[in-house]
Amino acid sequence: GQNIDQPTEMTATEGAIVQINCTYQTSGFNGLFWYQQHAGEAPTFLSYNVLDGLEEKGRFSSFLSRSKGYSYLLLKELQMKDSASYLCAVRNSNYQLIWGAGTKLIIKP
Amino acid sequence: IAGITQAPTSQILAAGRRMTLRCTQDMRHNAMYWYRQDLGLGLRLIHYSNTAGTTGKGEVPDGYSVSRANTDDFPLTLASAVPSQTSVYFCASSDRGGSGANVLTFGAGSRLTVL
């Protein structure tokens, strides 16, 4: 089967750095996405990786290793507004999106 | 403001009733999708449409139907609601085509409770 694994919940301190991991097993690979979802709201796009390596976008970076079936989302200089769920999704060879259950990130002052 | 509008925002209905969730986008995206989101599970695709006039089944299509008469509208119908269809429903769209990211834009969601 196809599956995406990510931690259910993480806690971090305001101003710190947190890394959210995502491992995947899918039928082929055509890109990996990270979305942010605040409680009660719609998911919004954060990042897209299709090649190995690090993609940096402001305080957020996303890393991909296709050979290991692994990605992480790195959030720096955490702010209270970063409290949200972070969803990892992989597009397989049939261009279907397979979604992880999300990681709820709690930021403490 | 460009985006996706979903209605209703929330609804409680009795089992066996028919219900249509509405979705309209103004971005001229050719692809549209309906997902359901349940606690502890990833988003699951119900139905999709790659372009106006065509639809396809996703991962969990049973009990749901869709239509795509034009580019902008993509309603989701529950013919006879059951309690297991209690969920948050998200409509999404993307400018599908080429080998790009084809990022999804989501509506605000419709929270449906079936009693």
Side-chain angles (χ1 to χ4, degrees):
Chain A
Q2 305 184 91
N3 64 282
I4 309 287
D5 290 317
Q6 46 182 138
T8 301
E9 186 174 297
M10 299 181 69
T11 301
T13 304
E14 189 177 16
I17 299 173
V18 71
Q19 177 175 311
I20 302 173
N21 295 325
C22 170
T23 58
Y24 62 89
Q25 289 181 306
T26 57
S27 303
F29 178 86
N30 274 299
L32 184 144
F33 299 81
W34 285 96
Y35 282 77
Q36 181 190 59
Q37 185 177 25
H38 285 102
E41 298 184 9
T44 56
F45 171 74
L46 283 179
S47 68
Y48 170 67
N49 294 69
V50 66
L51 299 175
D52 290 351
L54 190 67
E55 293 282 342
E56 296 185 82
K57 193 184 293 185
R59 293 189 298 114
F60 292 8
S61 303
S62 56
F63 171 83
L64 173 67
S65 169
R66 288 172 296 171
S67 63
K68 295 182 179 178
Y70 168 70
S71 172
Y72 68 72
L73 180 69
L74 192 71
L75 291 74
K76 302 176 186 176
E77 302 170 15
L78 286 170
Q79 301 175 10
M80 297 304 293
K81 67 179 182 179
D82 297 330
S83 292
S85 289
Y86 292 85
L87 313 181
C88 175
V90 173
R91 189 164 58 198
N92 65 14
S93 56
N94 292 324
Y95 279 78
Q96 298 169 325
L97 267 181
I98 311 301
W99 294 84
T103 298
K104 182 178 181 180
L105 178 63
I106 299 168
I107 309 297
K108 294 185 174 180
Chain B
I1 298 176
I4 296 181
T5 302
Q6 289 186 235
T9 304
S10 66
Q11 182 77 43
I12 300 173
L13 77 160
R17 298 298 296 268
R18 181 184 179 89
M19 177 72 194
T20 295
L21 304 181
R22 301 183 298 279
C23 174
T24 300
Q25 55 113 349
D26 62 3
M27 298 172 286
R28 308 304 293 174
H29 284 171
N30 46 20
M32 297 187 75
Y33 313 84
W34 274 105
Y35 286 93
R36 60 178 289 173
Q37 187 174 42
D38 302 290
L39 198 64
L41 299 177
L43 288 163
R44 291 184 291 170
L45 182 65
I46 304 170
H47 285 287
Y48 65 92
S49 169
N50 288 333
T51 188
T54 68
T55 63
K57 293 181 180 180
E59 180 184 356
V60 288
D62 294 345
Y64 306 95
S65 64
V66 292
S67 62
R68 186 88 184 276
N70 56 61
T71 298
D72 299 342
D73 300 301
F74 191 45
L76 176 74
T77 297
L78 289 67
S80 179
V82 296
S84 62
Q85 292 177 311
T86 294
S87 187
V88 179
Y89 291 85
F90 286 101
C91 181
S93 71
S94 71
D95 196 8
R96 187 184 179 95
S99 58
N102 301 131
V103 170
L104 294 181
T105 299
F106 286 86
S110 294
R111 182 175 294 275
L112 186 65
T113 302
V114 182
L115 302 176

